[in-house]
Amino acid sequence: MSLPLDVLGGITAEQFLTEYWQKKPLLVRNALPEIAEILVPDDVMELALDENITARLIKQKDKDPNQWSVKTSPLIKGDFQKMPKLWTLLVQAVDHYSFDLAELWKKFPFIPQWRRDDIMVSYAPKGGSVGQHFDFYDVFLVQGFGHRRWQLGQMCDAESEFVVGQPLKLLPNIEINFDEVLAPGDLLYVPPGLAHYGVAEDECLTYSFGFRMPNIADMMDRVSDKFVEDQRLRNPLLDVLRHKSNPIGQVTQAELDYLKAELLAQLNQSDVLEDAIMSLMAEPKYPENIPDAEAIGTGDLEEVLEQGYLLQIEPASRLIYLEQNNELLFWANGESICISIEFAPYLKQIADGHAVALNPQLSEQEILEDIAGLLNESILMLVPTDE
């Protein structure tokens, strides 16, 4: 049994996963007090105007707040002129631009890294909202500035009705069974499908730590991509054994079963299927946010082995691994990667969210080549110890 976690209000990870995860909400007061010091509203406004940022500006008409409009990035200063009374600004993947925010993922060590979506920040003046809605993913809502009132309601699904004629998927009503105001540092876990409605009590920032599962369609797309890469699979199949003639317009059940069996046989080849799924789970949501690395060689690394640098994941990148037959297999940014046996245990630590010291223990040439390659691909980053 693990230790109680402050971020979960003093319960253990096991208790949270058993009683709350994907089942019911959890409110924790002052769960992440340090988040209040990271960004202020002006920071978010500045980020939203960056041409590389993914953002949405949501407005409600003054004469009829039930009429909504959405402007997606790129946003310009002119988009913020003649603003209505009620509006909200959503900025995605702020953890890619704030190292302090990216570090807060470590507060959730009980959820696998590959489940992470991004950290979104929502800014709104008093009364601002994105309406009554639900999500298909798990989210931890953390108040960073000001106050927001949250109402939670019924469980919803893909068959739930939405308000017609609006650019957002809004619920027509919410059966309120939770009504609380969150202050800076407060956390509210909302499971998938649960209707929720957040309204700014004053000028406020709310962070959404999203955890999303892959969907079947995306997995099938990735499997298809892997099959296309295999030239052997482009060869026509052998024909089914034939003993009699049939009408030329007919596909017999035996023929259909044969083709299905051949396809399923390929799907059951674990190496292809596993590579496809792992590649998908290792794919970054915002690859455009991965910075271009400065070229670094093994000689450069040798010069700084004793200067106190740490190796850790680049915030916009994704690194995962699979333990199979006593071997560690790694995938990063949508691709499988080859790593020496000597460096594999260290890379496993990094994938698990730990920083690894760049020191003389990593001085073997093969290890340095691994590190240089990962740095040059912006999968890893070097951070001074004092940061």
Side-chain angles (χ1 to χ4, degrees):
M1 181 69 72
S2 61
L3 296 174
L5 297 174
D6 290 340
V7 75
L8 296 178
I11 66 174
T12 65
E14 288 83 1
Q15 184 178 351
F16 172 76
L17 294 173
T18 300
E19 298 181 18
Y20 294 92
W21 183 247
Q22 299 209 317
K23 298 180 183 72
K24 62 182 181 180
L26 175 67
L27 172 64
V28 181
R29 298 292 185 184
N30 205 35
L32 286 174
E34 60 268 46
I35 204 169
E37 305 296 327
I38 296 178
L39 296 179
V40 296
D42 285 347
D43 297 325
V44 177
M45 295 290 288
E46 183 178 345
L47 270 175
L49 296 175
D50 188 310
E51 62 181 6
N52 298 314
I53 281 284
T54 300
R56 288 170 288 167
L57 180 59
I58 299 171
K59 301 178 183 179
Q60 295 172 257
K61 289 187 176 181
D62 286 333
K63 292 184 178 180
D64 184 2
N66 291 320
Q67 295 299 313
W68 303 72
S69 66
V70 179
K71 172 71 165 60
T72 57
S73 53
L75 300 176
I76 60 175
K77 289 184 178 179
D79 293 320
F80 294 90
Q81 295 177 355
K82 297 181 180 180
M83 296 292 284
K85 180 181 178 181
L86 303 178
W87 59 280
T88 294
L89 175 64
L90 304 177
V91 180
Q92 302 288 157
V94 287
D95 48 317
H96 297 172
Y97 297 88
S98 167
F99 185 74
D100 290 334
L101 274 176
E103 283 289 286
L104 291 182
W105 282 118
K106 294 179 180 179
K107 296 291 185 177
F108 305 93
F110 44 90
I111 307 298
Q113 184 224 130
W114 61 266
R115 287 280 268 108
R116 294 177 188 170
D117 197 34
D118 70 336
I119 301 176
M120 181 187 76
V121 65
S122 168
Y123 166 78
K126 183 177 180 179
S129 170
V130 296
Q132 301 173 162
H133 68 286
F134 73 95
D135 301 308
F136 285 104
Y137 53 89
D138 301 270
V139 63
F140 292 87
L141 301 166
V142 185
Q143 196 62 24
F145 181 91
H147 302 78
R148 188 181 292 268
R149 179 183 182 185
W150 285 102
Q151 295 176 328
L152 306 181
Q154 71 277 15
M155 293 301 295
C156 306
D157 56 31
E159 303 302 318
S160 297
E161 293 185 4
F162 297 110
V163 177
V164 177
Q166 297 300 320
L168 300 170
K169 291 185 176 180
L170 302 174
L171 295 169
N173 57 70
I174 183 171
E175 301 166 7
I176 300 171
N177 50 49
F178 174 100
D179 194 336
E180 296 284 349
V181 174
L182 269 62
D186 291 348
L187 173 149
L188 176 62
Y189 165 68
V190 180
L194 186 64
H196 51 287
Y197 181 38
V199 180
E201 293 281 293
D202 46 30
E203 185 182 37
C204 78
L205 295 179
T206 305
Y207 297 91
S208 300
F209 291 72
F211 291 86
R212 190 186 300 264
M213 283 288 287
N215 60 60
I216 296 297
D218 286 344
M219 286 194 287
M220 291 300 293
D221 279 345
R222 185 52 62 95
V223 171
S224 175
D225 290 342
K226 291 295 180 182
F227 279 5
V228 169
E229 293 171 4
D230 191 337
Q231 293 299 317
R232 297 170 302 173
L233 299 180
R234 293 182 176 274
N235 297 326
L237 294 170
L238 294 175
D239 195 7
V240 65
L241 293 176
R242 299 186 180 279
H243 303 289
K244 64 177 183 178
S245 63
N246 294 297
I248 61 173
Q250 179 187 17
V251 176
T252 67
Q253 189 63 49
E255 290 170 327
L256 182 59
D257 289 344
Y258 168 72
L259 294 174
K260 287 163 56 179
E262 289 295 314
L263 177 59
L264 291 173
Q266 293 298 328
L267 287 174
N268 284 328
Q269 288 188 18
S270 61
D271 55 342
V272 177
L273 192 59
E274 287 173 1
D275 183 36
I277 295 173
M278 292 295 290
S279 296
L280 176 64
M281 293 193 297
E283 194 168 89
K285 184 176 180 182
Y286 297 97
E288 66 275 13
N289 290 350
I290 299 174
D292 294 328
E294 295 184 11
I296 190 169
T298 57
D300 301 314
L301 293 174
E302 289 174 335
E303 292 178 4
V304 297
L305 280 177
E306 298 184 10
Q307 294 185 17
Y309 281 94
L310 299 174
L311 289 164
Q312 60 186 62
I313 302 175
E314 157 61 44
S317 290
R318 185 157 293 183
L319 172 67
I320 60 176
Y321 64 88
L322 180 68
E323 294 189 55
Q324 194 174 75
N325 299 324
N326 296 319
E327 183 181 2
L328 288 169
L329 307 175
F330 292 90
W331 283 259
N333 293 344
E335 302 288 343
S336 61
I337 57 175
C338 294
I339 296 297
S340 65
I341 295 176
E342 291 77 14
F343 186 57
Y346 297 100
L347 192 59
K348 176 181 181 294
Q349 291 182 52
I350 296 172
D352 285 336
H354 305 292
V356 168
L358 182 67
N359 58 36
Q361 291 183 351
L362 304 179
S363 61
E364 290 186 25
Q365 190 65 24
E366 197 168 10
I367 292 178
L368 292 177
E369 289 175 359
D370 286 338
I371 295 172
L374 294 169
L375 290 171
N376 288 328
E377 292 293 328
S378 292
I379 295 168
L380 299 186
M381 62 187 297
L382 273 178
V383 181
T385 307
D386 57 356
E387 284 196 7

